[in-house]
Amino acid sequence: MNGVKSWIKRDLKNIWHPYTQMKDCGDTPLILIERAKGLKLYDNNGNFYYDTISSWWCNVHGHCHPAINRAIRRQLDSLEHVLFAGFTHKPAILLAERITAIAPRGLTKVFFSDNGSTAVETALKMSFQYWQNTGKCGKKKFISLDRGYHGDTIGAMSVSAVGLFNGIFKDMLFRSFKAPAPYCYRCPAGKTGKSCSFECVSGLEVILKKNASEIAALVLEPLVMAAGGMIIYPKDYLVRAAALAKKYNVHLIVDEVATGFGRTGKMFACDHVDIRPDFMCLSKGITAGYLPLGMTLTSDEIYDAFYDDAYKGKTFYHGHTYTANPISCASAVASLDVFQEEDTLRRVKGLIPFFSKRLEKFREIPIVGDVRHIGMIGAIELVKDKKTKEEFGIKERISPEIYKAGLKKSLILRPLGNVVYLFLPLCVKERELEYILDATQDVIEKFT
Ligand SMILES: *Cc1c(COP(=O)(O)O)cnc(C)c1O
């Protein structure tokens, strides 16, 4: 026990944690994790926690998966890193082949980076430069969705919802167009299921119609606006938005950083519909949650607009030091192997009906306003008043209290505002799922 306390003290002496009001670390102490296996994280007091949010949406097959551990060790003994300009390596080549083979049709080229924000920045810069390279020089702006989230670097923040995490930085950001979010529970047009006629799509079209000559790309998270509150929206919205991008000649950038790699029950959220994005951004689950890696996929058409004699200035001058790190790539390839060997998506498909049905029962709780789910993602939006949908204020500290109550039940619940969510590793077993859902219900009912 004392041992742990002294480690935490040493942590607080030097470390500044992300998304954390460090003052809260007194009231909610940091947890020192010693090891992990499958769904469980163990501290050294003999406690364990179900990793119900996949260690920030990146763990896929569970912690310390033997096959992925093995692949990483093997790679480590032959090549740990090499610069990626003028040089290449087999793990990157294999990974690019494997990803383009399963990606939406037409996404044939891969540009590597090292996290989700950089995968998005790469797409933004490529789209921007594409229009410069092809003589449509006025197309310099972007359009994205209210409540969207695409990362924490300046460019990614600029196409994210202002206010959510980054209101303070708004004067640093470049201006971009924002279309209404397809947030059905709090429909911006005040509609409900039956009366909906996709007013949010019309909102998007109005902006595109007026400004398309200035817009390079539409950026969105397909089907799940994750950080914005696990807002799961109708497939039809995605299909219609993609069609509008085509109609008005702007690129479609799909940010699958959170939704990629089986989260929604299919390999990519885009696989639920038939669309052809110009860019797809991947990270988080790509290495099964082991190592940093980012990837921006695009088409031959985009690639070809940069392919010319060097003196013509069409080169894409962008890169990151750890681009395509071989150990990261090896772990990504190993993860794709596990998807095949364990038939992960089929196993998950078997669990989804139970998961969805059980989640729907949360609607009976007086403070539950909405329940949303897709694949192994579930969200429960808490409200003060079901009828008026009145929200809990930040001072009511619902989120930190839920977090603390969750820990007592071995769950990691880090609500996004008033949205309690589960973002489960795909390796979750039915028995574990049952416990997790029952315990989550207990936690929420405590606040009723
Ligand atoms: C997390 C996230 C990002 C940013 O990824 P980082 O690796 O944290 O930079 C971008 N887009 C979406 C949709 C995300 O969920």
Side-chain angles (χ1 to χ4, degrees):
M1 194 66 184
N2 278 338
V4 177
K5 282 214 175 110
S6 93
W7 279 105
I8 300 299
K9 229 168 122 183
R10 284 160 69 182
D11 173 294
L12 292 174
K13 189 147 184 245
N14 300 115
I15 299 177
W16 189 344
H17 288 263
Y19 294 117
T20 301
Q21 172 47 262
M22 294 305 293
K23 190 179 172 190
D24 286 347
C25 291
D27 186 38
T28 315
L30 295 164
I31 298 166
L32 184 70
I33 295 298
E34 292 265 305
R35 64 194 174 85
K37 185 80 195 156
L39 209 63
K40 292 177 180 165
L41 299 165
Y42 297 88
D43 68 16
N44 71 345
N45 287 325
N47 303 314
F48 72 81
Y49 306 92
Y50 288 108
D51 192 354
T52 37
I53 56 166
S54 298
S55 284
W56 266 348
W57 320 346
C58 65
N59 189 281
V60 177
H61 305 294
H63 291 271
C64 286
H65 190 289
I68 302 173
N69 286 15
R70 235 180 354 258
I72 290 174
R73 282 197 202 100
R74 205 180 313 125
Q75 183 55 40
L76 194 56
D77 286 332
S78 56
L79 174 69
E80 87 299 347
H81 189 64
V82 62
L83 76 163
F84 207 58
F87 295 82
T88 191
H89 49 79
K90 287 178 189 164
I93 297 167
L94 281 170
L95 179 57
E97 283 174 357
R98 297 279 295 272
I99 291 282
T100 51
I102 56 174
R105 243 173 342 133
L107 295 176
T108 49
K109 293 288 191 281
V110 166
F111 192 96
F112 286 99
S113 60
D114 48 20
N115 64 64
S117 306
T118 55
V120 171
E121 299 261 340
T122 300
L124 297 177
K125 286 174 72 174
M126 274 185 179
S127 172
F128 181 98
Q129 190 177 340
Y130 169 90
W131 297 113
Q132 300 302 306
N133 283 3
T134 56
K136 299 247 174 35
C137 300
K139 288 167 91 66
K140 291 182 174 173
K141 293 185 179 156
F142 296 92
I143 179 165
S144 55
L145 304 186
D146 271 341
R147 295 180 183 263
Y149 175 78
H150 301 284
D152 282 350
T153 51
I154 305 289
M157 279 198 292
S158 299
V159 292
S160 299
V162 173
L164 206 56
F165 302 110
N166 55 15
I168 185 85
F169 302 117
K170 70 179 189 306
D171 292 341
M172 291 175 77
L173 311 181
F174 60 75
R175 292 178 63 86
S176 71
F177 295 102
K178 294 286 186 313
Y183 186 4
C184 300
Y185 178 60
R186 296 181 186 280
C187 172
K191 296 299 185 72
T192 57
K194 282 182 208 99
S195 60
C196 164
S197 46
F198 286 96
E199 285 80 0
C200 48
V201 180
S202 316
L204 172 62
E205 179 154 24
V206 167
I207 304 173
L208 284 171
K209 198 169 190 168
K210 183 148 173 250
N211 306 288
S213 64
E214 291 179 40
I215 298 177
L218 163 65
V219 193
L220 52 76
E221 295 159 272
L223 300 190
V224 185
M225 301 175 77
M230 293 296 160
I231 297 165
I232 297 165
Y233 62 80
K235 290 167 193 162
D236 227 25
Y237 177 88
L238 182 56
V239 173
R240 288 168 189 240
L244 287 180
K246 199 126 282 161
K247 178 172 170 191
Y248 290 99
N249 198 29
V250 307
H251 293 141
L252 175 63
I253 301 174
V254 291
D255 178 354
E256 291 246 15
V257 169
T259 49
F261 303 97
R263 298 299 174 189
T264 65
K266 294 192 186 273
M267 192 53 109
F268 303 111
C270 284
D271 295 342
H272 289 273
V273 294
D274 184 19
I275 58 169
R276 298 195 59 173
D278 301 284
F279 297 92
M280 184 160 100
C281 309
L282 299 173
S283 187
K284 290 201 169 112
I286 192 170
T287 61
Y290 272 66
L291 289 156
L293 186 69
M295 200 184 239
T296 307
L297 280 81
T298 191
S299 64
D300 286 342
E301 193 205 334
I302 306 280
Y303 177 87
D304 289 345
F306 293 72
Y307 191 93
D308 210 335
D309 299 319
Y311 73 87
K312 290 192 178 156
K314 291 185 178 173
T315 309
F316 188 54
Y317 282 111
H318 178 100
H320 299 278
T321 310
Y322 284 103
T323 286
N325 173 265
I327 308 172
S328 298
C329 290
S331 105
V333 171
S335 170
L336 293 175
D337 287 340
V338 172
F339 266 104
Q340 286 182 344
E341 277 151 29
E342 298 184 0
D343 213 349
T344 308
L345 292 177
R346 210 174 67 179
R347 216 186 59 78
V348 165
K349 205 171 158 197
L351 283 176
I352 294 173
F354 168 73
F355 185 52
S356 326
K357 210 168 139 201
R358 179 67 184 81
L359 275 168
E360 284 298 326
K361 280 180 62 180
F362 280 71
R363 289 190 193 274
E364 293 160 17
I365 306 173
I367 56 165
V368 171
D370 192 28
V371 172
R372 311 185 270 270
H373 43 79
I374 185 171
M376 280 291 120
I377 305 173
I380 301 132
E381 181 161 343
L382 307 184
V383 288
K384 251 181 157 157
D385 183 328
K386 251 191 207 217
K387 278 219 177 69
T388 60
K389 304 185 183 179
E390 188 191 343
E391 301 180 54
F392 287 100
I394 193 161
K395 287 228 176 88
E396 285 165 275
R397 291 186 64 82
I398 281 280
S399 170
E401 293 305 322
I402 295 253
Y403 175 67
K404 280 196 278 190
L407 291 177
K408 290 203 181 112
K409 298 233 166 226
S410 307
L411 304 175
I412 304 176
L413 303 174
R414 291 178 49 103
L416 295 154
N418 296 323
V419 179
V420 179
Y421 71 91
L422 299 168
F423 200 102
L424 297 163
L426 304 185
C427 67
V428 63
K429 295 187 187 73
E430 184 158 346
R431 239 191 23 249
E432 294 169 323
L433 197 53
E434 257 172 67
Y435 171 81
I436 290 166
L437 286 157
D438 290 347
T440 304
Q441 172 144 2
D442 289 348
V443 168
I444 293 175
E445 277 178 339
K446 242 188 72 182
F447 290 87
T448 303

